[in-house]
């Protein structure tokens, strides 16, 4: 299948990032959200991101104009019917995603592939909300999408080889480096990453080192670009806790128990950058 137009449901951080990556790579985009304000905000974010690339001389003003011209913002799901692939990039909520996927399944032609940008929800379960599980796949992009090279391609139980190959070819066209993953909680990256963050909280709670020294140790000793505690603040401590709770429930293994300090900080509303205070202060 040749994918020339991509539909995206959700104009937030991930949705507009995916839209930008597609448009810069020469693909037509239809980006849909429920409110015009959300669509406008997404388009404005893309414009600012492209402006930064112009400033760094990575692209020209003409390139920016051409890329923006490839993106159609809309509040009408019917506009997605022009796409050969539609990527659901809504909030990480199972019920909401199911509702969107059922709507898309009833609207789109049978041959259209549906993908979800979920970072934690079972691809097989989400595929079951549609009548096309063989043409359903996970495309887990990483934030910020225009900068991050990785895309996890997650195959559900019934995802076909043809669907996987078509979506893999698209990811490569976007300049990404896709890896193929079986369906399991956390897939690959978050399965490793979030427990590491959780362990950093155990180290902090035990008073083995200061937050600054824990982060410096991982940056300098493991060559990580950011320490695990600073990363937790960026991701959101509530998100880290929720993911660990999913792992504990799904695997039934005590090694995934959330650190009590992480629970306490979330209970106190210290969630990281988005609240101005997490492990570090952002006031």
């Amino acid at each position: 299948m040749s994918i020339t137009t991509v539909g995206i449901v959700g104009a937030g951080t991930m949705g507009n990032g995916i839209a930008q990556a597609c448009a810069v790579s020469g693909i037509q985009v239809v980006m849909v959200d429920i409110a015009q304000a959300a669509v406008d905000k997404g388009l404005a974010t893309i414009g600012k991101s492209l402006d930064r690339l112009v400033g760094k001389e990575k692209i020209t003003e003409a390139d920016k104009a051409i890329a923006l011209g490839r993106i159609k913002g809309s509040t009408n799901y019917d506009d997605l019917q022009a796409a050969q692939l539609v990527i659901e990039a809504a909030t990480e909520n199972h019920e909401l995603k199911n509702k969107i996927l059922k709507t898309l399944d009833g609207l789109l032609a049978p041959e259209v592939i549906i993908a979800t940008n979920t970072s934690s929800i079972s691809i097989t379960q989400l595929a079951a909300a549609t009548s096309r599980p063989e043409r359903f796949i996970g495309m887990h992009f990483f934030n910020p999408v225009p900068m991050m090279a990785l895309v996890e391609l997650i195959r559900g139980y019934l995802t076909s080889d043809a669907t996987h190959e078509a979506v893999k070819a698209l990811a490569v066209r976007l300049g990404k480096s896709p890896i193929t993953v079986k369906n399991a909680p956390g897939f690959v990256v978050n399965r490793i990453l979030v427990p590491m963050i959780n362990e950093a909280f155990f180290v902090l709670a035990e008073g083995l080192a200061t937050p600054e020294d824990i982060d410096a140790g991982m940056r300098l000793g493991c060559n990580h670009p950011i320490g695990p505690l600073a990363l937790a603040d960026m991701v959101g401590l509530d998100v880290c806790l929720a993911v660990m709770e999913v792992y504990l429930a799904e695997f039934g293994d005590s090694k995934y128990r959330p650190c009590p300090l992480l629970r306490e900080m979330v209970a106190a509303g210290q969630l990281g950058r988005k609240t101005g205070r997490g492990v570090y202060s952002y006031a």
Side-chain angles (χ1 to χ4, degrees):
M1 171 186 281
S2 176
I3 298 172
T4 57
T5 300
V6 170
I8 299 167
V9 178
T13 301
M14 298 305 291
N16 68 59
I18 298 167
Q20 177 181 327
C22 290
V24 168
S25 301
I27 295 164
Q28 297 294 319
V29 178
V30 179
M31 183 174 69
V32 172
D33 211 310
I34 55 172
Q36 188 61 46
V39 173
D40 292 343
K41 184 178 180 182
L43 291 170
T45 299
I46 294 168
K48 290 175 185 175
S49 178
L50 293 174
D51 280 338
R52 286 192 291 273
L53 293 177
V54 172
K56 294 176 182 178
E57 298 184 347
K58 297 285 182 70
I59 63 172
T60 65
E61 283 285 355
D63 293 331
K64 173 193 167 184
I66 292 168
L68 287 174
R70 292 191 181 111
I71 304 171
K72 176 179 180 177
S74 176
T75 57
N76 187 351
Y77 269 61
D78 288 342
D79 290 333
L80 295 168
Q81 293 182 81
Q84 294 84 42
L85 165 71
V86 175
I87 303 170
E88 171 274 311
T91 305
E92 195 74 349
N93 177 290
H94 198 164
E95 187 177 328
L96 174 63
K97 286 183 182 290
N98 269 348
K99 181 180 177 182
I100 291 170
L101 294 172
K102 286 177 181 176
T103 300
L104 291 175
D105 189 49
L107 175 73
L108 301 172
E111 66 273 13
V112 175
I113 296 170
I114 300 177
T116 175
N117 183 54
T118 183
S119 60
S120 64
I121 301 172
S122 166
I123 302 305
T124 300
Q125 285 186 346
L126 290 174
T130 77
S131 63
R132 64 187 83 198
E134 71 285 355
R135 287 185 297 283
F136 190 94
I137 194 168
M139 284 189 85
H140 181 209
F141 290 83
F142 288 76
N143 188 32
V145 176
M147 304 293 293
M148 298 292 280
L150 181 65
V151 179
E152 286 183 314
L153 302 181
I154 308 102
R155 299 186 66 145
Y157 187 68
L158 297 174
T159 302
S160 72
D161 291 341
T163 295
H164 172 263
E165 291 308 309
V167 174
K168 181 179 180 180
L170 174 69
V172 171
R173 185 175 171 188
L174 299 185
K176 305 302 182 186
S177 299
I179 62 172
T180 299
V181 181
K182 291 181 180 179
N183 186 50
F187 313 134
V188 166
V189 175
N190 285 343
R191 168 82 174 271
I192 297 167
L193 177 65
V194 182
M196 182 194 75
I197 290 173
N198 191 54
E199 194 64 27
F201 276 91
F202 274 113
V203 170
L204 179 62
E206 291 166 20
L208 298 185
T210 64
E212 291 81 4
D213 282 352
I214 292 168
D215 279 349
M218 293 304 291
R219 288 198 320 273
L220 302 175
C222 297
N223 206 26
H224 291 187
I226 185 172
L229 298 173
L231 180 58
D233 276 355
M234 186 179 297
V235 170
L237 272 60
D238 54 334
V239 175
C240 295
L241 175 59
V243 171
M244 288 305 297
E245 287 175 331
V246 167
Y247 292 173
L248 184 63
E250 293 286 334
F251 292 113
D253 190 328
S254 62
K255 74 179 181 181
Y256 295 112
R257 71 197 186 285
C259 176
L261 176 60
L262 178 59
R263 287 191 186 279
E264 277 288 282
M265 294 180 70
V266 171
Q270 294 189 356
L271 309 183
R273 288 180 178 270
K274 60 188 172 187
T275 58
R277 176 77 210 189
V279 177
Y280 301 101
S281 176
Y282 302 92

